[in-house]
Amino acid sequence: MAHPLRTWLLATLAAHVFGEYVNEAADPLFLQVALETRGRAAHDLVLMHIPYNFGHTIEEVAFAGSGSLDTFSYALGVVEGPLSLLSKQERLADAMQPNGELWGRLRPNLHVKSEVTGCPIYFTPPKYWPPALAEAYFGNKTVFGMLRDPYERLVAQFRGNYADYGGNFPEFYETCDVDGAVKSMMQTYLSGDKYAEGCTYVPQAEYFDPPYGITLAVDNLHFPDSANKVFLDHGYSNLRIATQDILHVDGCNEVWAGDLSCETKALVRKVYARDFELICKYFGRCDENANTCLELVPTMCPSNLTAKKATATYCA
Ligand SMILES: *[C@@H]1O[C@H](CO)[C@@H](O)[C@H](O)[C@H]1NC(C)=O
Ligand SMILES: *[C@@H]1O[C@H](CO)[C@@H](O)[C@H](O)[C@H]1NC(C)=O
């Protein structure tokens, strides 16, 4: 089974760090300043990367532009590699597109582990960040983030099947038993393991809590169009996500939110009550029982949605 996202994530850990991109002649101090100031005057956004909400795709295109997955893989290899902070910044400055942005996981100093969650800071809700780090990253910028339907997001986590990022579930994945897997995820969370699997079960609402929480919610249902519109509105003419840029899950392609049982959906509503409230508040979709899938992202809807809708659970 193909796992492009997994292949890519693993590749970045080892590849490129001491590779051919190194520019020994570069002046570290000059580059550091360039990195800190590039494009700041015109651009006022900063990304809060909620796990499993297309944050990697946004980081990729903000850093390197559309069609630049190789450059992003290289950059991620640099930030996750063993170099000093200064050397990392130097290499990132060299590889970044003009007026690019270093958001979320691409910020070398956000890779420390949170004492509260045990996850890296870049996946931790802002309210738990060390204040100095939060001030340096968010400052007085507009904090934006994707907001995703909880059922649909959990289906994606199951389909991703990554150990330590959303969880892997061999016993359920074998038969594409999305309901069994999501029920087990919710039981894990409700048993008190709130920061399991790289904080991927943390309710999105926690990333909206002050201080420094998300104030600009972008509708994941219409990704990437919704994000591209926000970027255009905020002057990021060089940030436009094309379909082929999107890093998405693959595998068990025919399962979707409509396959979750009413019992499982009740657990999801219990854990993510505030997420449903935010979707209602920001996007005006207030039916907590609706089944959705992402029509603008490849493989994120069953191949025959009409047929799947006919047999879907609806648990009002
Ligand atoms: C807030 O942002 C503006 C520019 O957008 C800047 O001039 C100002 O110094 C910033 N204030 C703080 C406290 O960082
Ligand atoms: C999709 O399913 C519907 C209902 O079962 C069926 O009528 C239709 O022919 C299917 N479409 C395709 C392209 O298979």
Side-chain angles (χ1 to χ4, degrees), residues 40-41 44 135 139-141:
R40 180 155 288 182
D44 68 317
E135 171 58 29
N140 64 2
K141 294 195 166 184

Side-chain angles (χ1 to χ4, degrees), residues 303-308 310:
S303 54
N304 189 336
L305 191 53
T306 312
K308 291 290 283 192

Side-chain angles (χ1 to χ4, degrees), residues 94-139:
D94 265 355
M96 187 160 73
Q97 67 168 334
N99 294 315
E101 293 281 351
L102 268 189
W103 279 336
R105 190 168 179 172
L106 285 186
R107 280 285 178 110
N109 66 349
L110 301 185
H111 282 249
V112 287
K113 271 206 162 58
S114 162
E115 286 181 12
V116 179
T117 66
C119 306
I121 290 289
Y122 61 79
F123 276 163
T124 294
K127 61 185 176 182
Y128 299 135
W129 288 30
L133 211 48
E135 171 58 29
Y137 180 67
F138 299 111

Side-chain angles (χ1 to χ4, degrees), residues 140-198:
N140 64 2
K141 294 195 166 184
T142 302
V143 183
F144 81 101
M146 304 304 302
L147 177 59
R148 186 168 191 170
D149 175 78
Y151 307 124
E152 191 273 324
R153 180 167 177 251
L154 291 164
V155 170
Q157 287 180 217
F158 164 68
R159 293 183 53 210
N161 201 36
Y162 304 122
D164 306 324
Y165 185 59
N168 73 329
F169 312 91
E171 70 278 29
F172 299 115
Y173 195 79
E174 190 86 350
T175 54
C176 293
D177 178 4
V178 66
D179 185 60
V182 171
K183 190 181 295 174
S184 142
M185 292 178 205
M186 294 302 88
Q187 284 161 350
T188 300
Y189 184 89
L190 289 166
S191 76
D193 198 357
K194 293 185 167 25
Y195 306 119
E197 302 293 349

